[in-house]
């Protein structure tokens, strides 16, 4: 393969090679100039994975973190995501799933959201088959006509074009995760990840649980229908939803939420 590439390169006119090199350097310089932050992945070698492709789960904040921990009770550390020298999230491997748990809702500042999203998707591009982003929104921000039924626990989802057909087919009257109503705006890191996946044609879904109070563990229960929907889609994931529910209810009985919020 390298010989074939070398052959193509060597047959280009010298002037064309120079122009292309200049264009590449200019593009790299422009990208570096526009980059808000430097994102790195410590102790995270995707090439060392024994699985070819899988699902990348991303959780933002405490409520999604609770749900992820209940859904993947057996996982091992796989690295750290950093902005500069500051850790902002930890990476875990659970069977055919990679999980990134960001420290809290503010772990990725708005101005850095795009840089971090591009870095994450690019770093795991050889592994990604599907992307699932879990985040929370305030109930007071929801634009909806169904105000009488809008009380936690509840979720909404948005997805890339590549995922819409699968997600629609997996739903039924008894198994439903509603799409986020038109008129709502999702911003920040979760939105940036979904945007990057849409641009690259990747299968991606963002699921948002709505909160009334900041660290309400009960709201994590709202994510459970997502497990049932994902289990209906061919992605190598199966879940014991009842065990997840029991684990979340156990967490709900704990009163020391501050302890869990300190770090992952």
């Amino acid at each position: 393969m390298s010989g074939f590439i070398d052959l193509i390169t060597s047959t280009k006119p010298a002037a064309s090679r120079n122009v292309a090199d200049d264009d590449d350097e200019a593009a790299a310089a422009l990208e570096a100039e526009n980059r808000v932050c430097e994102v790195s992945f410590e102790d995270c070698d995707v090439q060392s994975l024994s699985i070819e492709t899988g699902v990348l789960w991303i959780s933002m904040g405490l409520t999604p973190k609770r749900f992820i921990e209940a859904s993947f009770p057996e996982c091992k550390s796989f690295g750290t995501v950093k902005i500069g020298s500051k850790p902002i999230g930890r990476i875990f491997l659970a069977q055919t799933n990679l999980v990134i748990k960001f420290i809290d809702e503010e772990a990725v500042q708005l101005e850095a959201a795009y840089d971090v999203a591009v870095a994450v998707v690019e770093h795991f591009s050889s592994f990604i088959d599907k992307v699932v982003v879990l985040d929370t929104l305030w109930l007071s921000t929801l634009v909806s006509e169904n105000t009488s039924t809008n009380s936690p626990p509840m979720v909404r989802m948005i997805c890339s074009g590549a995922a819409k057909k699968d997600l629609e087919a997996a739903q039924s009257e008894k198994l439903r995760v509603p799409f986020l109503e038109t008129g709502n705006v999702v911003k920040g890191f979760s939105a940036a990840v979904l945007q990057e996946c849409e641009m690259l044609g990747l299968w991606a879904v963002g699921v948002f649980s709505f909160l009334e109070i900041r660290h309400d563990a009960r709201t994590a229960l709202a994510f459970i229908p997502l497990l049932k929907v994902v289990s209906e889609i061919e992605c190598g994931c199966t879940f014991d939803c009842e065990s997840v529910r029991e684990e979340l209810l156990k967490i709900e009985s704990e009163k020391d939420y501050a302890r869990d919020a300190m770090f992952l």
Side-chain angles (χ1 to χ4, degrees), residues 149-196:
T149 59
N150 288 338
S151 59
M154 57 176 288
V155 292
R156 296 287 193 274
M157 68 178 178
I158 56 179
C159 66
S160 64
K164 190 169 185 180
K165 185 177 179 180
D166 285 342
L167 290 168
E168 288 178 338
Q171 302 208 56
S172 64
E173 289 301 319
K174 294 182 179 180
L175 179 61
R176 180 164 295 276
V177 179
F179 285 97
L180 188 63
E181 294 91 334
T182 301
N184 289 279
V185 176
V186 177
K187 61 182 180 180
F189 176 71
S190 296
V193 170
L194 294 170
Q195 175 182 308
E196 182 68 8

Side-chain angles (χ1 to χ4, degrees), residues 57-75 90 92 94 99-103 134 217 220 223 227 239-240 243-252 254 257 259-264:
W57 297 73
I58 299 172
S59 71
M60 296 295 296
L62 185 59
T63 297
K65 169 184 172 291
R66 291 179 183 278
F67 175 75
I68 285 290
E69 289 175 346
S71 303
F72 301 103
E74 297 182 6
C75 58
R90 293 179 63 189
F92 297 86
V99 178
I100 305 179
K101 295 189 289 186
F102 285 91
I103 296 171
L134 305 178
F223 287 119
L227 297 183
F239 300 93
D240 185 343
S243 295
V244 174
R245 182 184 298 277
E246 290 175 2
E247 185 62 28
L248 288 172
L249 290 173
K250 187 193 305 181
I251 294 172
E252 169 61 10
E254 299 174 3
Y257 296 154
R259 179 195 64 196
D260 289 337
M262 290 180 66
F263 195 63
L264 306 176

